[in-house]
Amino acid sequence: MALTREQIAKRVAMELQDGYYVNLGIGIPTLVANYVSDNIAVMLQSENGLLGMGQYPTADALDADMINAGKETVTAATGAAIFNSAESFAMIRGGHVDLTVLGAFEIDQNGNIASWMIPNKLIKGMGGAMDLVAGAKNIICTMTHASKHGESKLLSECSLPLTGVGCINKVITDLALLEIKDDAFHLLERAPGVSVEEIQAKTQGRLIIPKNTPEMTF
Amino acid sequence: MAGFDKVVSSYSEAMVGLEDGMTVIAGGFGLCGIPEGLIGQIKRQGIRNLTVVSNNCGVDGFGLGVLLEDKQIRKMVASYVGENALFEQQLLSGELDVELTPQGTLAEKMRAGGAGIPAFYTATGVGTLVAEGKETRNINGRDYLLEHSITGDFAIVKAWKADRFGNCIYRHTAMNFNPMAATAGKITVLEVEEIVEPGELEPSQIHTPGIYIDRVIKGVFEKRIEKQTTQAAR
């Protein structure tokens, strides 16, 4: 069975380590916050200028001056810091954020990512995504492996305008966990009950399959 | 002697000197920390042909979005312009020019502009549409783009509290782009929730020193929330 959005987030959360500063993008990445192990402490960075993003406020504590990068009302966690946008991107560009999790429309075997623009359809802007992929030490991309029509999103070469070049090294899809290196996708884990054949069929880019591909455990 | 007292008493006084064709830098992220009253004044004055530099362009009917209604903006420099149907319509019809700029690059362009640095190199955008027409240089084995900084004829900024000298403090994440915008205007106008006397704010806690500020006005704010997300009370 392909993973649900929540299961993808759960698998990403297993990649978090104690003491990590983490930036979570919009969509599935946001859900990762719900699955952080009780045994570790992580600090969430929101690029509008908040390090230590807390939970949503209760209705009586709503504050227009307290939002995250998705423009949702949030709270500050204990030990949080608030700063300006230039400072926020100094952290990001300067490589101080330990892990960035973001979504994508397409990824290719050279680690290129397309996530911000579909010509003539979706031109809303890149927001902070280009800075994040250029600056992060460690990026995990979450996405569905193929479109609703079955077209692969893991390609030999991205067809949409790029967000960044050669910057993605790990992808977690609804079907598999893959590493990108040496101009290929390397299959590391498969979703429970998903066959290697299905993953192969839905990966248009070069796929390296090990002798045994373990199923994900949660 | 006015000395350093920068307080003005009306919005029209706050925006004196703004003319057609000028560049206006605005603080704010989404609808958070935007100079609502100063934007309203630009609308009332009917200034046209503006270049507006801001992370976003408000929403339909609020924030910078209201300047689209009478087509007062000719060019928008922003990182994200979703949530705005009128914007999209004017962009597609060619009435509005837009320069999409990565968010961190936009913040740094304002910061550098205000700090007297004309341009800087950044890895953000290398190999993408953003790199088109820009100088690329390899430094220590990595490619970087040359990005030019931004200054404005006016900067419009929202803070929480200011003293009469323009020293100010922002509140929570309403800070965002405001401190950089404040430094990058030839004339910087600060709209605040509260004006206090000099000496009331702790000098070491000032976010933006008054030297960057030309005019201060006590504003009236709606402080609309774009996405109300809550959890159940415990």
Side-chain angles (χ1 to χ4, degrees):
Chain A
M1 278 286 286
L3 301 183
T4 61
R5 290 160 55 88
E6 286 73 20
Q7 286 172 313
I8 295 174
K10 211 169 169 183
R11 182 61 191 82
V12 172
M14 290 166 66
E15 302 289 306
L16 302 176
Q17 292 181 25
D18 190 34
Y20 261 18
Y21 292 102
V22 181
N23 183 290
L24 301 177
I26 315 264
I28 296 172
T30 304
L31 301 175
V32 174
N34 300 334
Y35 299 104
V36 179
S37 160
D38 291 336
N39 300 320
I40 63 170
V42 299
M43 197 75 97
L44 300 178
Q45 204 254 17
S46 198
E47 63 263 28
N48 58 316
L50 172 61
L51 186 63
M53 179 168 57
Q55 299 185 324
Y56 293 144
T58 52
D60 61 336
L62 265 183
D63 187 337
D65 291 337
M66 199 60 215
I67 65 166
N68 65 16
K71 288 146 193 159
E72 299 171 330
T73 44
V74 291
T75 56
T78 304
I82 292 173
F83 35 83
N84 68 54
S85 300
E87 181 84 56
S88 181
F89 282 92
M91 285 171 203
I92 289 166
R93 225 188 286 101
H96 303 279
V97 175
D98 296 298
L99 174 68
T100 288
V101 185
L102 43 72
F105 301 142
E106 296 174 347
I107 296 282
D108 73 28
Q109 64 192 36
N110 296 307
N112 299 329
I113 172 172
S115 66
W116 72 281
M117 181 187 181
I118 301 174
N120 304 318
K121 260 192 189 168
L122 179 80
I123 318 170
K124 292 187 169 181
M126 67 291 283
M130 285 190 182
D131 306 277
L132 281 160
V133 299
K137 281 185 268 189
N138 191 3
I139 303 173
I140 297 175
C141 205
T142 62
M143 58 201 294
T144 53
H145 211 98
S147 73
K148 283 175 195 154
H149 311 293
E151 293 156 338
S152 178
K153 297 180 182 179
L154 275 60
L155 308 172
S156 53
E157 193 178 352
C158 288
S159 65
L160 295 168
L162 296 180
T163 311
V165 174
C167 49
I168 308 298
N169 41 34
K170 196 172 265 185
V171 187
I172 299 179
T173 73
D174 53 341
L175 304 183
L177 187 159
L178 311 99
E179 190 183 358
I180 304 174
K181 62 178 181 185
D182 307 326
D183 305 335
F185 295 100
H186 295 253
L187 182 59
L188 298 185
E189 295 177 15
R190 57 199 169 86
V194 170
S195 69
V196 170
E197 289 71 26
E198 182 180 356
I199 295 166
Q200 174 73 80
K202 289 183 174 167
T203 307
Q204 186 265 326
R206 197 156 76 97
L207 180 67
I208 308 291
I209 303 166
K211 273 191 186 137
N212 291 302
T213 309
E215 282 191 354
M216 285 177 197
T217 51
F218 295 98
Chain B
M1 187 183 77
F4 295 101
D5 191 342
K6 295 166 184 177
V7 175
V8 297
S9 53
S10 70
Y11 280 117
S12 57
E13 206 181 332
M15 294 306 289
V16 162
L18 183 68
E19 292 171 11
D20 289 356
M22 282 187 164
T23 295
V24 177
I25 301 179
F29 184 96
L31 303 181
C32 182
I34 57 172
E36 297 178 23
L38 298 176
I39 294 167
Q41 177 60 27
I42 295 173
K43 182 172 172 67
R44 277 194 299 278
Q45 276 179 237
I47 308 287
R48 303 181 67 83
N49 219 13
L50 292 170
T51 295
V52 175
V53 183
S54 176
N55 190 53
N56 318 92
C57 194
V59 297
D60 288 312
F62 196 72
L64 289 168
V66 303
L67 301 183
L68 296 168
E69 292 164 2
D70 301 320
K71 299 177 184 171
Q72 291 174 267
I73 303 177
R74 188 192 58 77
K75 182 179 177 182
M76 186 76 210
V77 180
S79 88
Y80 188 80
V81 292
E83 354 287 359
N84 202 319
L86 196 52
F87 189 96
E88 204 170 341
Q89 191 186 313
Q90 291 183 17
L91 178 61
L92 291 171
S93 69
E95 291 166 294
L96 181 65
D97 191 13
V98 61
E99 188 176 317
L100 290 171
T101 304
Q103 196 176 135
T105 297
L106 184 62
E108 195 64 14
K109 277 171 175 260
M110 291 184 197
R111 196 197 69 78
I117 296 171
F120 56 92
Y121 285 101
T122 177
T124 301
V126 168
T128 74
L129 291 175
V130 168
E132 282 181 6
K134 288 175 187 160
E135 180 191 325
T136 303
R137 181 162 165 179
N138 189 285
I139 301 172
N140 297 329
R142 191 171 184 194
D143 286 338
Y144 295 88
L145 299 183
L146 184 68
E147 291 280 6
H148 288 259
S149 58
I150 294 176
T151 55
D153 297 296
F154 270 74
I156 54 173
V157 175
K158 194 265 167 173
W160 180 34
K161 289 181 184 180
D163 67 22
R164 293 183 156 272
F165 295 175
N167 296 306
C168 70
I169 291 172
Y170 307 95
R171 186 169 174 273
H172 300 333
T173 60
M175 180 187 290
N176 56 62
F177 280 81
N178 281 298
M180 279 72 64
T183 66
K186 285 193 193 101
I187 295 174
T188 293
V189 188
L190 183 64
E191 185 180 14
V192 300
E193 294 181 41
E194 188 182 344
I195 296 175
V196 301
E197 291 304 315
E200 287 187 40
L201 301 175
E202 169 63 35
S204 65
Q205 300 296 312
I206 301 291
H207 290 130
T208 295
I211 192 169
Y212 297 108
I213 309 297
D214 297 285
R215 302 167 191 166
V216 180
I217 184 163
K218 184 180 181 315
V220 180
F221 297 91
E222 177 186 331
K223 292 177 76 166
R224 191 181 291 186
I225 295 175
E226 205 162 332
K227 293 179 192 167
Q228 286 199 14
T229 43
T230 53
Q231 59 168 327
R234 275 179 247 187

